[in-house]
Amino acid sequence: MRQDLLLLLTFFSLLSCGDTSDEPTDAWIGGEIVNPKYDYVVLMKDRQIIDTMHLDENNFFRYHIDSVEEGLYTFHHGEYQIMHFSPGDSLLLRVNTTEFDESLSYSGEGARKNNLLIDFFLQNERENQLLPQFYSLSPEAFEKKIDSLTEERKKFFDVYLKKEESSESFVDVIDANIKYDQLSKKELYIARHSKKMSGTDLQEIPASFYEHRKNIDYNNELLKNYYSYFRFLNRLFDNLAYDKYKNEESYDRYSYTHTKYKLGIIDSLVESQLLQNSLSRTNTRRYLLRAGDPEETQEIYSLFEKLNKDNADIAEINSLKQSVENLMPSKLIPNVKLVTVDNTLKDLRSAITKPSVLFFWTTESSVHYQNIHTKAAELREKYPEYQFIGINTDTHFRKWRSIVRALGYNDQLEFQIEDIENAQQALVLSSISKSLIVDENGIILEHHTNLFRPELETQLLGYINE
């Protein structure tokens, strides 16, 4: 495989050498996907698909961009990452899907800047994991701490610039990365000390701590799909939305109230249509996945339609809205097709013979499927009035069946989804942790719960006593 990678890099180098023009306008991308989940990779810019690149028999791909616009691109294969392209780049990547971000590396022309991008991304992820231990600091001490982290990154980039010639576009991206990662941390600190959490010592935050909000560019076209910028705006707007209702309700970023105010803030502060589209889609989707009231759902959808002008976004959110409305309490569970361990088909509704809790799992996470089956067994002992039905979301029948049998799961209560794409839409399977509670007739009682939530047992008891 390494030899194939070297051959591909040599191929790109020869192509670059063959370009006799002073200023190339094209670019190449290629590479290897280790443990691929699909047989293709998708290249996008500004949320628009440029092309779908198919993997060969050795899980390699290559693609030529005839006329490349300098800036940020994303490549998708289950997960996604950001890349920076300039005319003349010949990027070769290698990524292992089992550790997508951590394994991603580049070689070829344009590799150093993109390796720097992923290094900064991973560094920020590590810093965010450490961040909660700094929340107890005073605002002054917290600011000093994150300023020191920011200064380290600036120094690192200064050293890079002395060694590498960089375009203005790339410098702007890295400067924004440093700036908005720092400001995101400040917004997280503000959030931590503005939510009335029991048992928490809240810090009094001085006005000076909010100074950064006076100089925010809400319409940066270069960064419109860059995670550092997009994440900062989302965190800022969450805090601004909470300020609107903090005296009436507790903080809940998934609630109708929060989403309503947040969409209003996006409408008032963001003028870029592309940013409005992205932000309204993300936040409306987040709300819908937990929505439980038809009237509130329609109101949020109407606000979304006012903001979003992308036809694909509108179609996606409208489809999700319809699926969510079909899953609301008092509705009949969608009758998706299931596969039994005997490899026969069974309707979901026919599998429900008494009040039931439906939970989902995948063979890709052994820790999760073992934990959730252990939890289901505990709950089954405590609440024999309910069936606990395990539904597998994979497409590998034999692998699923072998796990069910090897671990001694009740094969009368274990099924695999027959058409995962249809079921994901019908059951709104946005998270493997999701569970549903239905009565003996398949009428939905709870459409978005979780076996590990403390309130689940309260819900189960409540329906028993009705």
Side-chain angles (χ1 to χ4, degrees):
M1 291 298 179
R2 285 291 183 185
Q3 186 177 4
D4 291 338
L5 210 57
L6 289 171
L7 287 172
L8 194 54
L9 182 58
T10 303
F11 171 75
F12 280 175
S13 299
L14 291 172
L15 287 170
S16 298
C17 293
D19 189 348
T20 57
S21 63
D22 291 334
E23 295 187 11
T25 59
D26 65 344
W28 284 87
I29 180 175
E32 178 187 10
I33 309 295
V34 182
N35 298 313
K37 295 185 176 181
Y38 312 100
D39 62 354
Y40 60 89
V41 174
V42 177
L43 182 66
M44 302 182 70
K45 181 170 176 57
D46 298 337
R47 297 182 59 220
Q48 300 298 313
I49 295 176
I50 294 175
D51 212 337
T52 299
M53 303 163 285
H54 290 277
L55 303 180
D56 65 18
E57 64 275 11
N58 294 316
N59 300 325
F60 285 84
F61 72 94
R62 67 172 181 261
Y63 182 73
H64 181 228
I65 308 174
D66 290 322
S67 182
V68 65
E69 177 187 353
E70 183 169 33
L72 294 172
Y73 292 70
T74 58
F75 78 93
H76 297 247
H77 184 85
E79 299 181 57
Y80 77 94
Q81 256 304 342
I82 298 287
M83 302 180 299
H84 187 277
F85 264 123
S86 300
D89 282 350
S90 298
L91 271 180
L92 189 66
L93 66 86
R94 188 175 191 272
V95 65
N96 189 327
T97 62
T98 60
E99 291 186 313
F100 193 91
D101 297 322
E102 293 79 5
S103 68
L104 177 60
S105 62
Y106 298 92
S107 54
E109 188 67 32
R112 290 185 180 89
K113 63 180 178 179
N114 282 292
N115 283 324
L116 181 65
L117 273 179
I118 191 65
D119 286 346
F120 272 16
F121 171 83
L122 293 173
Q123 177 62 28
N124 187 61
E125 295 300 296
R126 288 189 291 268
E127 290 172 2
N128 282 341
Q129 289 178 359
L130 296 173
L131 207 59
Q133 65 185 272
F134 304 137
Y135 288 153
S136 60
L137 298 175
S138 68
E140 295 77 13
F142 180 85
E143 198 162 26
K144 184 177 180 180
K145 180 64 180 177
I146 63 169
D147 284 349
S148 69
L149 295 175
T150 301
E151 194 58 34
E152 287 178 16
R153 210 175 295 190
K154 286 181 177 178
K155 288 179 180 178
F156 189 91
F157 188 43
D158 287 341
V159 171
Y160 173 90
L161 289 175
K162 290 176 182 177
K163 297 178 180 179
E164 303 291 337
E165 184 177 347
S166 300
S167 68
E168 182 180 347
S169 167
F170 181 69
V171 171
D172 287 345
V173 167
I174 294 296
D175 284 345
N177 177 297
I178 295 170
K179 173 183 178 181
Y180 289 112
D181 280 349
Q182 177 192 30
L183 298 187
S184 281
K185 293 178 175 66
K186 294 190 73 172
E187 290 298 331
L188 285 172
Y189 182 86
I190 291 168
R192 183 66 174 77
H193 291 283
S194 63
K195 297 162 193 168
K196 306 304 180 185
M197 302 169 67
S198 60
T200 301
D201 295 326
L202 300 179
Q203 297 282 348
E204 188 69 32
I205 301 178
S208 59
F209 197 86
Y210 298 87
E211 281 295 312
H212 65 277
R213 292 182 174 180
K214 296 180 179 179
N215 300 298
I216 301 302
D217 179 1
Y218 295 106
N219 300 284
N220 192 311
E221 287 294 312
L222 173 66
L223 305 173
K224 51 186 169 285
N225 291 303
Y226 190 36
Y227 39 71
S228 292
Y229 179 62
F230 195 79
R231 181 168 49 196
F232 163 72
L233 290 181
N234 260 311
R235 288 172 176 169
L236 170 61
F237 295 160
D238 276 332
N239 286 339
L240 295 177
Y242 181 54
D243 286 342
K244 301 281 189 181
Y245 67 88
K246 63 184 178 183
N247 295 323
E248 286 79 40
E249 297 181 25
S250 59
Y251 178 82
D252 181 359
R253 70 198 295 248
Y254 304 105
S255 71
Y256 157 77
T257 301
H258 186 90
T259 306
K260 177 183 68 174
Y261 282 120
K262 191 172 181 181
L263 291 177
I265 289 166
I266 292 168
D267 188 22
S268 65
L269 294 180
V270 179
E271 296 177 0
S272 164
Q273 188 59 60
L274 280 170
L275 267 172
Q276 279 198 358
N277 291 347
S278 295
L279 287 163
S280 61
R281 172 191 173 273
T282 296
N283 287 283
T284 302
R285 179 177 174 79
R286 179 184 295 134
Y287 163 77
L288 286 175
L289 292 174
R290 293 163 177 80
D293 183 284
E295 291 184 8
E296 291 178 351
T297 297
Q298 183 56 49
E299 185 176 345
I300 293 299
Y301 181 76
S302 296
L303 291 173
F304 161 78
E305 274 194 314
K306 175 185 174 185
L307 282 169
N308 198 298
K309 306 304 178 188
D310 185 284
N311 290 334
D313 285 354
I314 293 170
E316 176 198 0
I317 296 299
N318 185 51
S319 176
L320 176 60
K321 172 177 171 287
Q322 292 178 27
S323 295
V324 167
E325 288 173 339
N326 289 333
L327 269 188
M328 286 186 180
S330 78
K331 296 283 189 176
L332 186 61
I333 191 79
N335 202 21
V336 300
K337 296 288 186 182
L338 303 176
V339 181
T340 71
V341 292
D342 296 322
N343 202 15
T344 59
L345 288 180
K346 190 178 187 72
D347 293 340
L348 174 56
R349 291 174 190 166
S350 68
I352 298 166
T353 57
K354 65 180 188 178
S356 301
V357 179
L358 313 180
F359 65 93
F360 303 89
W361 61 283
T362 171
T363 60
E364 292 185 11
S365 177
S366 61
V367 173
H368 175 265
Y369 72 66
Q370 290 181 57
N371 286 344
I372 201 164
H373 278 90
T374 299
K375 186 66 175 179
E378 293 173 1
L379 291 168
R380 190 177 291 119
E381 284 289 321
K382 293 178 71 173
Y383 304 99
E385 297 88 350
Y386 290 91
Q387 291 182 133
F388 287 80
I389 300 175
I391 301 178
N392 179 263
T393 60
D394 300 316
T395 56
H396 305 291
F397 172 76
R398 290 182 180 178
K399 184 177 181 180
W400 161 69
R401 184 173 62 180
S402 67
I403 290 174
V404 169
R405 289 177 171 173
L407 296 180
Y409 298 152
N410 185 342
D411 60 14
Q412 299 302 304
L413 296 174
E414 293 287 338
F415 303 94
Q416 187 175 61
I417 290 172
E418 192 265 338
D419 182 346
I420 185 60
E421 187 174 342
N422 174 64
Q424 280 180 329
Q425 180 175 352
L427 299 175
V428 193
L429 298 180
S430 59
S431 168
I432 203 66
S433 299
K434 173 177 177 171
S435 299
L436 298 96
I437 304 175
V438 299
D439 72 8
E440 66 275 14
N441 298 311
I443 301 299
I444 297 168
L445 304 175
E446 293 288 341
H447 69 302
H448 197 285
T449 188
N450 186 316
L451 260 63
F452 297 100
R453 286 182 187 165
E455 63 266 26
L456 176 77
E457 294 197 47
T458 302
Q459 293 168 341
L460 295 177
L461 282 170
Y463 294 122
I464 290 173
N465 295 325
E466 281 186 354

